[in-house]
Amino acid sequence: MHADTQGQNFPVFALAHLLGFDLMPRIRNWKELTFYRPSKQSKYVHIDALFGEPGKHVIAFDLIDSQFRHLMRVAVSVREGAISSSALLKRLRSGSRKNATYGAFREVGRVIRTVQLLRYLSDAPLRRRVTAATNKVESFNRFSQWIVASTRPTLRRTGHG
């Protein structure tokens, strides 16, 4: 599944993963994105600089573990149609950042996005496929917008009001 650069928020990555989708958005300005470590002690020989200061940007696996049952319940609810993914993401976006389930979605999303960033950076053919797919989607969206705009009746002023 492909998305544009705006498709990179953490809960979207988490939900896509829990639903079995491999979300791979086009990644622009990847140097500005944060890579997350699995632990404070994690260090990498050739790519450690990508992760920023050692000991920072660490995944809270304890939070994921404590909320795992809730994450799975939410994913099953979306899959079964009890709640739409857009409604869920809207709730997560507007919900309290202190909400434990939101936090767990964020942490899972950090893990998945970090893995996807590493895949994206190390695989030139993947980057080309993602770029081609998102260009097609963006072209289709522009075409759809043009169709809607060109078929919309123009509003005329009547002089009233």
Side-chain angles (χ1 to χ4, degrees), residues 128-158:
R128 287 191 292 275
R129 284 193 309 274
V130 168
T131 298
T134 52
N135 284 344
K136 284 180 188 176
V137 169
E138 288 171 355
S139 293
F140 177 78
N141 288 341
R142 283 192 300 274
F143 176 71
S144 297
Q145 291 168 352
W146 177 81
I147 292 290
V148 168
S150 66
T151 59
R152 189 177 293 148
T154 57
L155 300 175
R156 297 183 184 181
R157 291 189 135 213
T158 61

Side-chain angles (χ1 to χ4, degrees), residues 16 27 57 66 86 88 92 106 117-118 121 126 139 145 160:
I27 300 172
H57 309 298
S66 73
S86 59
L88 170 66
L92 288 172
R106 182 192 61 224
L117 283 169
L118 292 169
L121 293 176
L126 175 65
S139 293
Q145 291 168 352
H160 301 294

